[in-house]
Amino acid sequence: MASQMPRRAYLKGMLSSLALSATVAESATNAEALASRLVGKALLDAFVRMRGRTDGKTVFGWLNATRSTVIDGDIVPLCGVVAGAMQRWERIAEDRYEVTDLEIAHYTDLATGELLDTVKMPQTGRTVQVPRYRFGPTKVRFAVALDEWEEFEPVKVAANASQFAPRSSVHLVRSIGPAWAVGDDVLLRADEYGRVYPDRAKPPTVFYREWMIWRAAVAALANAGTPSVAANYSYSALSGWRPWMQMEGIKGHTAENGIGAKAERWSDCPAQFLELTRRLHPDVLDNPERALNGSLRK
């Protein structure tokens, strides 16, 4: 004889399923409602709470990406990018934040994860020295829509900064949004585009184009009183050849894609980044506030 579920147990299970369905529907509704309200100042503040902090305290973050070269449709993996940053965000106007930023990136062998000293560039076959990347502290600005020029002085950014871009005027365009809901999360788009003009009367040289999709839980983001929320992001970027690559005359660029997340402290970042940074830039780990406050460059 087939066993039968007792009526009480059946009703309890049905009610639990209905309650769960209602909770899921309510959560989705809340996410959609919150995303629809994120415009203007609310959108900017949500972005800052995802990427940084609104209370002026130092915040950290990490990125793990792959960089490839793109030449006439041929895409060749070049290196890994294991990076981290620390920042301090300050509201300087109703619609704008200024960020004190220090960035470190390690270029690694894709097979072994070891730090690269040299790399062989495709098509030219030239073996080039891979420079160490440590930029900052510098000052950068963010807004829902930002279009500005800044002067790039390599000597004021890093000892080897000219290996990444020449002394130049840089046209920067940044944008934030829109926000949209996916399940229990709110996703937010942030774009950046920069063109380097060594001489404003002549065509630009290096370019940089970045896309980031930030993701945070609606339950955390809905609490407007919290200055920071846990968040992670996906990352894609295109860039013109950097001087250190010695690719003059070759039509092409690099492409990157990866993932990352915000962190409350350096120790929350991946072990590989911490190990490489300990080897090359121990001061940044030992005294981050001092490193971030030192020799600020605008």
Side-chain angles (χ1 to χ4, degrees):
M1 179 180 297
S3 61
Q4 294 182 337
M5 179 183 292
R7 178 178 176 82
R8 182 176 297 176
Y10 173 78
L11 290 174
K12 183 178 180 180
M14 184 173 67
L15 291 173
S16 296
S17 297
L18 290 173
L20 177 60
S21 298
T23 301
V24 171
E26 181 182 4
S27 177
T29 300
N30 290 341
E32 291 169 0
L34 177 60
S36 69
R37 295 196 301 270
L38 294 181
V39 295
K41 178 179 178 296
L43 177 63
L44 177 60
D45 287 347
F47 170 72
V48 176
R49 292 168 66 212
M50 285 184 179
R51 185 167 180 170
R53 298 184 64 97
T54 59
D55 60 5
K57 294 182 180 180
T58 300
V59 66
F60 304 83
W62 59 269
L63 168 70
N64 195 312
T66 298
R67 174 177 289 175
S68 300
T69 60
V70 183
I71 303 172
D72 195 26
D74 289 332
I75 302 174
V76 180
L78 182 69
C79 65
V81 180
V82 179
M86 57 179 173
Q87 300 175 331
R88 188 182 301 116
W89 294 67
E90 177 187 3
R91 185 189 293 278
I92 58 173
E94 189 71 10
D95 63 348
R96 188 165 303 191
Y97 276 81
E98 185 172 69
V99 182
T100 303
D101 176 75
L102 189 153
E103 299 179 357
I104 290 172
H106 305 293
Y107 302 129
T108 60
D109 185 281
L110 287 168
T112 67
E114 290 298 317
L115 198 65
L116 287 172
D117 293 317
T118 62
V119 67
K120 186 175 182 179
M121 298 302 297
Q123 192 156 324
T124 68
R126 185 178 293 123
T127 297
V128 300
Q129 294 289 324
V130 179
R132 307 304 185 219
Y133 183 102
R134 173 175 172 170
F135 269 34
T138 57
K139 296 277 192 178
V140 295
R141 288 149 299 281
F142 287 88
V144 171
L146 182 116
D147 188 327
E148 65 179 11
W149 287 82
E150 67 177 30
E151 299 305 311
F152 180 73
E153 294 279 356
V155 69
K156 294 182 179 180
V157 178
N160 63 347
S162 61
Q163 292 294 314
F164 298 92
R167 182 180 182 276
S168 54
S169 299
V170 183
H171 184 202
L172 289 170
V173 178
R174 294 189 177 103
S175 63
I176 302 169
W180 70 96
V182 177
D184 294 335
D185 297 330
V186 170
L187 282 70
L188 203 162
R189 184 184 189 93
D191 294 353
E192 181 172 328
Y193 181 45
R195 294 304 308 265
V196 172
Y197 292 77
D199 183 339
R200 289 204 196 190
K202 297 180 180 179
T205 55
V206 178
F207 74 89
Y208 178 74
R209 183 71 164 93
E210 174 184 280
W211 298 266
M212 303 175 81
I213 304 293
W214 284 86
R215 186 175 193 131
V218 63
L221 203 57
N223 184 0
T226 57
S228 172
V229 298
N232 55 59
Y233 65 94
S234 63
Y235 166 86
S236 300
L238 302 177
S239 179
W241 304 124
R242 299 299 184 174
W244 68 265
M245 297 176 179
Q246 300 180 31
M247 295 290 280
E248 296 85 353
I250 305 297
K251 292 184 178 181
H253 58 272
T254 64
E256 294 182 22
N257 66 89
I259 59 171
K262 186 168 72 174
E264 294 301 316
R265 56 193 68 83
W266 277 135
S267 57
D268 295 332
C269 295
Q272 183 187 20
F273 169 77
L274 295 176
E275 190 278 324
L276 294 174
T277 304
R278 170 62 59 190
R279 191 189 312 174
L280 298 178
H281 310 285
D283 64 300
V284 172
L285 301 182
D286 292 337
N287 197 331
E289 295 298 331
R290 182 177 179 180
L292 191 59
N293 290 332
S295 302
L296 291 179
R297 291 123 180 169
K298 293 185 180 181

